[in-house]
C-alpha cells in the first residue's frame, strides 16, 4: 500500500514538473489584450545581408528615401520616431561614415509597395537597421506620405567594398537630366517647346511617344520651370522628326501628373540588345506655358496673373522663399508639419513657376512675423491653390515661427548668369562686376560698371543674377580687386528696385556717362548665402505710446545729438519744455545671419554726453506724416548701441555694448530701445491737433544688407487732440493686403522730405 502511494506521489510530481513550465509560458497579464507590444529587434532569416538603397528624386548620390529589400520586395520605413541614430545606422550600412541628417514626410517622393518598418528606435551602434527596435516587419499604421529619408556624409568607410547603395533603376537607367530640344526659335530663352530628351551616358536620347499623355507633359513642364502645358502641333514635328535619326531610350512613361520629376514616374526602358525603334510613334514633343515673369508677350502676361493670396518671402533667388498666405487681408505663414514636395509644388505652380525642387522645413528661409494660418497641409499635387488642399487650423501651442515652411521651385533656364562675372576677389562670392556689353566701337565684350551711386539694391540684383545668394555689400571702388585686363566702362547710372532678375532690367544710361571712369572706380559686390532681416514689433509701439512734456534743462544731450526739432534752437534755454511723442521699439532679427554695422569699430563715433559709441549714423527714421504724405515732424536715431537685449529660447546673446564690445543683433534676438531713453521720440511741440500717419523705418539707407527690405517700415494711424495721442492699426509695411493698405493710407504717399 505504502509502495503504491509512493508510486502515485512520484507520478504526480513528475506530471506537476512537466506541467509547470508549460503553464508559466502561457501566463499573460490580464490587460495584455489592450497594451501595445514593446518594440523589439526584427531580425530576418539570416540567409543574406539586408539590402538597403537610396531612392527618390531630386537628390544627390548620398541622400534619398530609404528602401529595404525583404521577402523579395522593396519597401520603405515610416518616419514615426525616426532619429539621427537611425540615420547613422543606415548610412554606415551603405558604406558612408555617418549621417548628417534625416528627412520626414516623403521629402524624396512617395515610395511604392510595403512600408516594412515603423517606430524604429536605434541606439546608433547597431550593425544593421534590422537589429534596432521596431514594431516588426510589415507592421505599420503609416502611409507613404510618411516615408523617411537620410542624408549621409559624403565620405566612404575605408575598405568598404560592397557599397550596398542600389538606385531605383540600374545605373544605365537613371533619369536625372531632362531638356527640351527646340526646333523653331532656337536662340529664344526660355525654351518652352521642343523634343523631350534625356541625358544618357555622354549624349541625349529621345522618348517614344506611344501612350504619351497630357499628365506626362505636365510633369516635364513642371520640372523645367513651367506651371502649365499647352497643345502642340504634332503634324509639324512628325515631318521634321522623320528626317532625323532618333535613339529611343525610354519606350513608355506613365505619370499620374503629380510627380515632381520624370524619374518618379513608372518608366519602361529599351532593352540593351533590342532595336531602338518606336513603331507607330515618334519622339515625344511637349509645349509648355511659361509663367508671367518669363513671358515675352505682354498681352498674355496680363491675362495670366499669378495668385495674389500666396507669396514667397526672404529668398535670395527667384522662385524660393518662405511661404506666406493671405487671410482676412493679413499675411501669415504655413507650419512645416507634414510639409511635402506635392504641397510645395502646388504653391510653386500657383505663383507661375514649375514644380518644387525642395520643400524646406524649420524656417530655412527665415522666420515670419504675425499669424500662422495653416498646419499639416496635405496637397495631392493637382490642386490649383494651396487653399484647396486639406489643412489644419493653427493654435499657438501647435506651431512657432521656427517651423515656418518654405520652397525652392523649378524655374526656367534663362541663361542670365552667362552675361555677368566677378573678377579679382578672394573667393567666388566677391569681386569686381563685369558684364557682357558693347564698347565704344560697338564690339561685344566684357566691360565694367560705373561705381557712382552703386548701392546695396544694385548688388542684390547682381548677386541674384550670378546665382550667389544675397548681397552682403555693394562697393563703389574696387582698386584692391584689380586682377583683370578689362578696363572699359560699358554700363552706368544703374538704378534697381532690388527685385529684378538681371542688371539689364534695371534703369541705366543709354550711353555710358561716368565721371570717374578709371577701372579702380568700377562697381563690385560681396555676395553671401545668408542675410539678416530686421523687423519692428508693431504691437509694442502701439501699446507703449504716450506724450511727455520734458523740461529743456534735461535735454542738452539730446540737442547735441540733433534729436529735437529745429524750433528748439530758438527756445529760451534752459527754461520751458518740449512736447515729445514717446514709445518703445523692439527690433527683431528674423533672418539667417547676424545684423552687424557696416563700419568697423575703428570708425565708430564716441558721444561723451551719453557715454556710448555710434556704429551707424542713422539706424531708424521716425516720421509723422499728414494726410497728403508730407512730414510734419521727424526724429532720427543713430544706433546708440546695437546689442542683444533678449533672445528666443535656446538662442544665446552675442552682442553687448559695454566695455567697447561688439555691436550687432543675433539671429533670433532683438534690440529693445525703451520709451524712456534719450532720443526715443519725435518732437511734436509744433504739431497741431489732427489725424496723422506715424512711420518708422529701420536701416532706411539700406546701409546694411538684408534679405528683405519690404518689411523694414512700420506704420500706424495716429490721432492727436492737443493733449493726448492714440495709435491704432500699427503694422509692418508688407503685412496687409494691397486693398487693406489702400484703406489705411488715404493719402497718395509721402510727397517730399521737407518739414512743413
Amino acid at each position: 500500500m505504502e509502495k503504491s502511494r509512493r508510486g502515485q506521489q512520484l507520478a504526480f510530481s513528475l506530471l506537476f514538473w512537466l506541467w509547470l513550465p508549460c503553464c508559466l509560458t502561457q501566463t499573460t497579464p490580464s490587460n495584455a489584450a489592450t497594451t501595445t507590444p514593446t518594440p523589439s529587434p526584427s531580425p530576418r532569416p539570416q540567409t543574406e545581408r539586408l539590402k538597403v538603397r537610396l531612392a527618390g528624386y531630386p537628390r544627390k548620390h548620398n541622400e534619398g528615401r530609404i528602401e529595404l529589400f525583404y521577402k523579395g520586395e522593396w519597401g520603405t520605413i515610416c518616419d514615426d520616431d525616426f532619429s539621427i541614430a537611425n540615420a547613422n545606422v543606415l548610412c554606415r550600412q551603405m558604406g558612408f561614415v555617418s549621417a548628417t541628417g534625416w528627412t520626414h514626410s516623403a521629402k524624396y517622393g512617395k515610395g511604392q509597395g510595403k512600408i516594412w518598418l515603423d517606430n524604429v528606435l536605434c541606439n546608433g551602434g547597431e550593425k544593421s537597421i534590422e537589429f534596432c527596435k521596431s514594431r516588426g516587419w510589415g507592421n505599420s499604421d503609416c502611409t507613404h506620405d510618411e516615408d523617411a529619408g537620410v542624408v549621409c556624409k559624403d565620405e566612404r568607410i575605408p575598405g568598404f567594398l560592397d557599397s550596398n547603395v542600389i538606385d531605383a533603376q540600374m545605373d544605365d537607367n537613371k533619369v536625372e537630366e531632362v531638356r527640351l530640344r527646340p526646333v523653331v526659335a532656337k536662340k529664344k530663352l526660355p525654351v518652352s517647346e521642343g523634343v523631350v530628351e534625356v541625358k544618357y551616358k555622354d549624349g541625349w536620347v529621345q522618348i517614344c511617344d506611344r501612350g504619351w499623355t497630357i499628365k506626362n507633359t505636365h510633369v516635364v513642364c513642371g520640372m523645367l520651370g513651367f506651371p502649365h502645358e499647352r497643345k502642340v502641333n504634332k503634324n509639324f514635328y512628325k515631318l521634321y522628326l522623320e528626317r532625323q535619326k532618333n535613339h529611343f531610350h525610354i519606350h513608355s512613361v506613365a505619370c499620374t501628373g503629380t510627380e515632381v520629376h520624370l524619374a518618379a514616374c513608372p518608366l519602361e526602358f529599351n532593352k540593351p540588345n533590342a532595336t531602338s525603334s518606336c513603331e507607330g510613334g515618334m519622339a515625344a514633343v511637349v509645349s509648355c506655358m511659361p509663367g508671367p515673369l518669363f513671358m515675352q508677350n505682354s498681352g498674355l502676361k496680363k491675362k495670366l496673373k499669378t495668385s495674389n493670396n500666396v507669396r514667397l518671402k526672404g529668398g535670395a533667388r527667384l522662385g524660393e522663399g518662405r511661404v506666406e498666405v493671405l487671410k482676412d487681408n493679413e499675411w501669415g505663414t504655413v507650419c512645416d508639419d507634414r510639409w511635402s514636395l506635392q504641397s510645395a509644388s502646388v504653391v510653386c505652380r500657383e505663383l507661375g513657376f514649375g514644380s518644387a525642387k525642395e520643400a524646406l522645413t524649420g524656417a530655412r528661409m527665415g522666420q515670419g512675423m504675425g499669424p500662422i494660418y495653416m498646419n499639416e497641409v496635405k496637397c495631392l499635387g493637382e490642386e490649383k491653390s494651396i487653399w484647396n488642399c486639406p489643412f489644419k487650423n493653427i493654435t499657438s501651442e501647435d506651431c512657432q515661427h521656427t517651423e515656418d515652411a518654405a520652397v525652392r521651385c523649378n524655374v526656367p533656364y534663362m541663361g542670365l548668369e552667362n552675361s555677368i562675372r566677378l573678377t579679382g576677389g578672394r573667393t567666388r562670392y566677391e569681386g569686381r562686376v563685369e558684364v557682357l556689353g558693347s564698347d565704344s566701337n560697338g564690339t561685344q565684350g566684357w566691360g565694367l560698371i560705373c561705381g557712382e551711386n552703386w548701392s546695396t539694391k544694385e548688388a542684390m540684383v547682381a548677386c541674384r543674377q550670378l546665382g550667389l545668394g544675397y548681397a552682403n555689400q555693394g562697393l563703389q571702388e574696387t582698386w584692391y580687386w584689380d586682377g583683370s585686363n578689362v578696363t572699359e566702362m560699358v554700363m552706368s547710372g544703374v538704378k534697381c528696385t532690388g527685385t529684378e532678375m538681371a542688371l539689364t532690367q534695371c534703369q541705366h544710361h543709354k550711353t555710358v556717362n561716368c565721371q570717374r571712369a578709371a577701372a579702380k572706380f568700377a562697381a563690385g559686390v560681396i555676395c553671401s548665402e545668408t542675410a539678416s532681416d530686421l523687423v519692428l514689433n508693431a504691437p509694442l509701439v502701439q501699446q507703449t505710446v504716450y506724450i511727455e512734456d520734458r523740461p529743456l534743462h534735461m535735454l542738452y544731450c539730446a540737442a547735441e545729438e540733433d534729436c529735437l526739432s529745429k524750433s528748439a534752437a530758438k527756445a529760451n534755454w534752459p527754461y520751458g519744455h518740449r512736447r515729445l511723442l514717446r514709445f518703445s521699439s523692439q527690433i527683431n532679427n528674423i533672418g539667417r545671419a547676424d545684423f552687424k554695422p557696416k563700419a568697423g569699430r575703428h570708425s565708430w563715433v564716441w558721444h561723451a554726453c551719453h557715454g556710448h559709441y555710434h556704429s551707424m549714423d542713422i539706424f531708424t527714421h521716425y516720421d509723422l506724416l499728414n494726410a497728403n504724405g508730407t512730414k510734419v515732424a521727424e526724429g532720427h536715431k543713430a544706433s546708440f548701441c546695437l546689442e542683444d537685449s533678449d533672445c528666443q529660447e535656446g538662442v544665446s546673446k552675442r552682442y553687448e555694448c559695454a566695455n567697447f564690445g561688439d555691436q550687432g543683433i543675433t539671429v533670433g534676438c532683438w534690440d529693445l530701445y525703451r520709451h524712456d531713453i534719450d532720443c526715443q521720440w519725435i518732437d511734436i511741440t509744433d504739431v497741431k491737433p489732427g489725424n496723422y500717419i506715424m512711420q518708422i523705418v529701420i536701416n532706411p539707407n539700406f546701409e546694411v544688407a538684408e534679405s528683405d527690405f519690404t518689411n523694414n517700415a512700420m506704420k500706424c494711424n495716429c490721432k492727436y487732440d492737443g493733449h493726448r495721442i492714440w495709435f491704432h492699426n500699427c503694422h509692418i509695411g508688407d503685412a496687409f493686403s494691397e486693398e487693406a493698405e489702400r484703406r489705411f493710407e488715404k493719402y497718395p504717399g509721402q510727397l517730399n522730405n521737407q518739414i512743413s
Side-chain angles (χ1 to χ4, degrees), residues 38 40 42 52 313 347 451 487 563:
T38 307
S40 57
S42 310
V52 185
K313 297 288 284 181
V347 169
T487 57
C563 296

Side-chain angles (χ1 to χ4, degrees), residues 395-413:
T395 62
S396 56
E397 292 80 40
D398 290 335
C399 282
Q400 306 297 322
H401 281 296
T402 51
E403 300 166 82
D404 283 343
V407 296
R408 277 201 181 102
C409 306
N410 286 311
V411 296
Y413 176 71

Side-chain angles (χ1 to χ4, degrees), residues 81-126:
D81 294 332
F82 208 83
S83 68
I84 194 70
N86 299 359
N88 272 320
V89 170
L90 286 158
C91 286
R92 283 200 307 274
Q93 203 170 343
M94 292 183 286
F96 296 100
V97 292
S98 63
T100 59
W102 61 276
T103 66
H104 59 82
S105 308
K107 181 191 168 177
Y108 299 103
K110 292 191 276 190
Q112 293 178 334
K114 302 274 193 198
I115 298 172
W116 279 129
L117 294 176
D118 189 4
N119 299 108
V120 180
L121 296 167
C122 301
N123 297 320
E126 293 86 351

